[in-house]
Amino acid sequence: MLIIMDYNEVMNFALKKGFYFPSCDIYPDKSAGFWEYGPLGVNFKNNFIELWRRELIRRDEILEIDGSQIMSKSVFEASGHITNFADPIIKCKKCNSTFRVDELIAAKTKINMTENESLQKYDELIKENDIHCPKCENEFLKPSRFNMMFCIGIGPENETAYLRPETCQSIFVDFPRLFKIMRGKLPFGVAQIGKSFRNEIAPRQSILRLREFYQAEIEIFCNPNKLNSLTKSSQISNTIIRIHVDNTTKIMSCKEAVNSKTIPNMFIAYYIGLLTEFYAKTGIDMAKTRFRKLSENEKAFYSESSFDFEVKTTVGWLELVACNYRTNYDLIRHANISKENYSIVDYEDKIIPHVFEISMGVDRSLYSILEHSLKNDIGNKRILLSLKPYLSPIYVGVLSLLKKDGLEEKTNQIYSQIKKNFVASLDHSGTIGRRYRRLDEIGTPFIITIDYQTLKDQTVTIRMRDDMHQIRIKISEVESFLTTNAF
RNA sequence: GCGAAGUUAGUCUAGUUGGCAUGACGUCAGCUUCCCAAGCUGAAGAUCACGUGUUCAAAUCACGUACUUCGCACCA
């Protein structure tokens, strides 16, 4: 009987095994929202990224770049982050409580406020309407803006620059160059995986809400006039997707989703189909997932159509991927501010391409996979992490049945044969059952055991993690077994 | 940032009229064991989150700081 485990148990598991843990932990001035991946976590993350490359990047012939994490102020003037990525806030003089000014005014006066008014305007409205701190009824300080970007100073003059709050901006900035040198044709996909930084007011829940986090973003540049004539869309037209609209989750094929206008066009449906196939391969329970169509007021201001890929976990629905049809907002902004030419010719059309974005939160994805894979296997008295073999941090265990009569030496020999091609773990200590359990807990799918028969006929047993069954194969066949069973 | 609760070895935990810390699991070594967390022996591991104060004496009392968890706003 397999029992699922909740957030706290997954968290304890991750800490205990060193998948991830708080950064700067031994110092009292450490800040929340910074976490590190330990040895197992790094392997797991790398395997996840490799799957992303395999199933999205290479499959869809997308180009990958690796941009700067520090970007100049102009980039974020163009992108709108300097004005839009900042919340207008106001602080109470006495109790120091912080509120969103626009929301406070809207609540007290019924005036419909936006977050983009001038600070002066907010200040006037606070004074005119005699608004006081809702908590202690005292006066407010002047309104200010809290920008969620980390601002840094470059060089001796401390020139203002920012840690990127999303990885996609370098893709937009680089687009004209990339399109030319890579002999681009629309649709043209560029991807990037790396760190992004946001100065969250209150980071919470370990790697689910970080100030420094991994994003894997794909930006597809396309011709807006050809959104229903994507030739490769036949690859996914029958893929079953789960779309959440008007508070219900509808299960249908990509083709049906477009025909019923649930998804606006085949172009978006194609990528939602690809993403569905990708996440199915991560081992996430797809019955607990949905693409939620965002309503008008939930969408980012630049997005014409947005779907969030969400996964149900023990802490509720988690947003793993934001899919946004960003139109040509970003490219036009960068074109206008930089004076760079962003228009391209797509057959007879001279256009500034539109952008469809698949913005994936890597850390959250890793957590969701862990939570959906970690089970308490009561009957077998073990913790079982049933990761897909290609995601497992340790791919194969190499164990001696006993440590005597030459078994240890034989085991070491087999281990050194395979350790360069596979992430392997060698262990002689304690009883065999304990060693099996330890590897089950970190998701190792295969375990080679060297026993007395090995010495006689050059065979070993391979134990399968999930059902604990063993097969016996020749030592000479071990490598091909491990290779063919990866996927 | 605000409010509430919490912080004792890698993990969980005992300690509640103030007297330098209990147990378990895990880890390591050895013995045993021809396949699934057994057993035996031994070892390492805690200036009780950090700082200041009260006291002859602080894990224990007071104050402050940090972090964690839960609620509010923001969000991949």
Side-chain angles (χ1 to χ4, degrees):
Chain A
M1 182 160 161
L2 299 176
I3 309 228
I4 62 156
M5 296 171 79
D6 68 14
Y7 170 79
N8 283 323
E9 292 170 305
V10 176
M11 172 79 184
N12 287 338
F13 164 80
L15 280 171
K16 183 172 147 197
K17 293 294 172 187
F19 272 79
Y20 50 82
F21 41 83
S23 184
C24 311
D25 204 26
I26 62 166
Y27 286 105
D29 62 344
K30 65 174 176 178
S31 297
F34 299 94
W35 287 66
E36 329 209 318
Y37 287 100
L40 296 181
V42 166
N43 286 358
F44 177 41
K45 175 167 69 64
N46 286 346
N47 291 343
F48 174 82
I49 292 169
E50 179 50 30
L51 185 70
W52 176 79
R53 291 200 170 108
R54 179 189 171 100
E55 296 298 328
L56 293 168
I57 306 308
R58 295 202 289 271
R59 171 173 177 181
D60 201 49
E61 294 155 322
I62 290 167
L63 306 171
E64 186 179 345
I65 65 164
D66 185 4
S68 270
Q69 298 183 342
I70 295 172
M71 301 183 82
S72 70
K73 194 175 171 187
S74 307
V75 170
F76 302 110
E77 276 164 4
S79 70
H81 281 89
I82 297 219
T83 45
N84 294 313
F85 210 57
D87 292 334
I89 56 168
I90 193 162
K91 285 194 176 194
C92 172
K93 263 183 192 168
K94 192 159 187 196
C95 74
N96 215 13
S97 294
T98 310
F99 302 90
R100 280 278 299 263
V101 193
D102 52 331
E103 289 178 1
L104 193 64
I105 294 171
K108 296 275 176 182
T109 64
K110 313 287 181 222
I111 301 171
N112 208 3
M113 295 297 295
T114 71
E115 59 179 37
N116 296 323
E117 295 289 344
S118 71
L119 291 177
Q120 201 184 343
K121 174 85 177 167
Y122 290 127
D123 198 28
E124 283 165 15
L125 283 165
I126 290 283
K127 292 214 171 85
E128 279 170 23
N129 293 285
D130 199 31
I131 299 173
H132 291 263
C133 173
K135 279 198 179 156
C136 68
E137 291 299 322
N138 277 286
E139 298 214 335
F140 283 115
L141 294 164
K142 290 248 180 210
S144 59
R145 281 193 185 275
F146 175 71
N147 195 297
M148 302 241 294
M149 283 195 293
F150 285 101
C151 184
I152 57 166
I154 300 194
E157 298 300 321
N158 264 324
E159 209 169 317
T160 301
Y162 297 91
L163 288 173
R164 63 184 179 189
E166 53 183 13
T167 54
C168 60
Q169 288 307 323
S170 44
I171 296 177
F172 301 142
V173 169
D174 294 347
F175 171 74
R177 176 192 293 268
L178 291 170
F179 195 77
K180 274 178 220 141
I181 61 176
M182 299 310 288
R183 302 192 296 134
K185 283 197 176 62
L186 300 185
F188 181 72
V190 182
Q192 179 170 195
I193 186 153
K195 286 270 177 85
S196 290
F197 305 83
R198 293 182 190 175
N199 199 358
E200 295 287 344
I201 300 168
R204 288 279 163 81
Q205 293 183 318
S206 64
I207 61 167
L208 299 184
R209 181 99 158 272
L210 293 161
R211 287 184 166 135
E212 175 180 339
F213 60 103
Y214 282 99
Q215 283 189 309
E217 292 196 296
I218 299 173
E219 309 295 322
I220 313 291
F221 299 90
C222 58
N223 183 335
N225 305 317
K226 295 181 181 172
L227 294 178
N228 276 312
S229 52
L230 191 68
T231 49
K232 58 190 173 186
S233 64
S234 62
Q235 287 176 29
I236 54 83
S237 51
N238 294 317
T239 298
I240 301 300
I241 55 176
R242 305 167 61 87
I243 297 282
H244 190 78
V245 235
D246 304 330
N247 289 321
T248 48
T249 303
K250 299 171 181 169
I251 301 167
M252 59 179 86
S253 69
C254 287
K255 201 193 303 170
E256 289 163 347
V258 177
N259 291 342
S260 62
K261 304 253 188 283
T262 312
I263 294 180
N265 55 60
M266 203 59 213
F267 186 82
I268 293 179
Y270 171 76
Y271 287 102
I272 285 180
L274 271 193
L275 210 47
T276 299
E277 294 185 2
F278 167 76
Y279 270 105
K281 287 178 177 160
T282 64
I284 280 178
D285 179 359
M286 294 306 280
K288 294 182 180 169
T289 67
R290 64 190 187 191
F291 281 90
R292 192 167 65 86
K293 189 174 194 172
L294 298 194
S295 63
E296 283 306 313
N297 49 14
E298 282 179 298
K299 286 188 317 200
F301 66 92
Y302 49 73
S303 182
E304 194 173 282
S305 180
S306 293
F307 292 87
D308 279 355
F309 179 67
E310 299 182 327
V311 173
K312 191 167 197 198
T313 69
T314 56
V315 285
W317 286 95
L318 273 185
E319 184 186 340
L320 300 194
V321 187
C323 302
N324 295 311
Y325 189 79
R326 296 177 80 125
T327 68
N328 54 10
Y329 169 81
D330 302 274
L331 297 194
I332 283 184
R333 294 277 303 184
H334 282 298
N336 288 347
I337 293 198
S338 67
K339 311 296 179 205
E340 181 77 21
N341 179 19
Y342 268 75
S343 64
I344 59 138
V345 177
D346 182 51
Y347 298 95
E348 64 283 0
D349 299 342
K350 185 173 184 189
I351 53 165
I352 289 188
H354 280 209
V355 170
F356 181 67
E357 151 182 277
I358 302 167
S359 173
M360 183 182 290
V362 173
D363 314 272
R364 287 180 175 188
S365 296
L366 295 176
Y367 172 81
S368 303
I369 297 168
L370 277 187
E371 197 194 285
H372 283 200
S373 306
L374 190 65
K375 307 274 165 47
N376 189 349
D377 182 357
I378 307 246
N380 291 307
K381 294 184 181 163
R382 61 174 182 166
I383 303 297
L384 174 65
L385 183 64
S386 54
L387 291 177
K388 298 285 184 191
Y390 44 82
L391 291 182
S392 293
I394 306 286
Y395 186 65
V396 57
V398 187
L399 311 182
S400 51
L401 180 62
L402 295 172
K403 211 165 47 167
K404 58 184 187 185
D405 302 329
L407 291 175
E408 182 172 3
E409 291 74 13
K410 187 69 183 167
T411 304
N412 291 343
Q413 188 197 324
I414 292 173
Y415 170 70
S416 35
Q417 267 173 39
I418 63 171
K419 70 178 177 186
K420 278 172 78 176
N421 293 331
F422 305 93
V423 182
S425 165
L426 175 72
D427 199 349
H428 300 294
S429 81
T431 60
I432 192 77
R434 163 156 284 315
R435 284 175 280 157
Y436 286 150
R437 294 293 181 285
R438 255 200 299 255
L439 289 165
D440 289 341
E441 194 176 359
I442 57 170
T444 300
F446 309 115
I447 301 178
I448 297 170
T449 306
I450 285 75
D451 58 13
Y452 283 96
Q453 200 176 326
T454 309
L455 301 178
K456 287 183 205 145
D457 64 4
Q458 300 296 312
T459 61
V460 292
T461 60
I462 296 192
R463 174 184 178 276
M464 312 303 164
R465 176 194 61 206
D466 294 350
D467 59 13
M468 301 165 68
H469 280 94
Q470 289 177 301
I471 57 167
R472 186 170 281 278
I473 64 169
K474 292 185 182 140
I475 294 172
S476 57
E477 291 166 356
V478 165
E479 293 216 25
S480 69
F481 173 89
L482 293 175
T483 306
T484 51
N485 285 280
F487 282 90

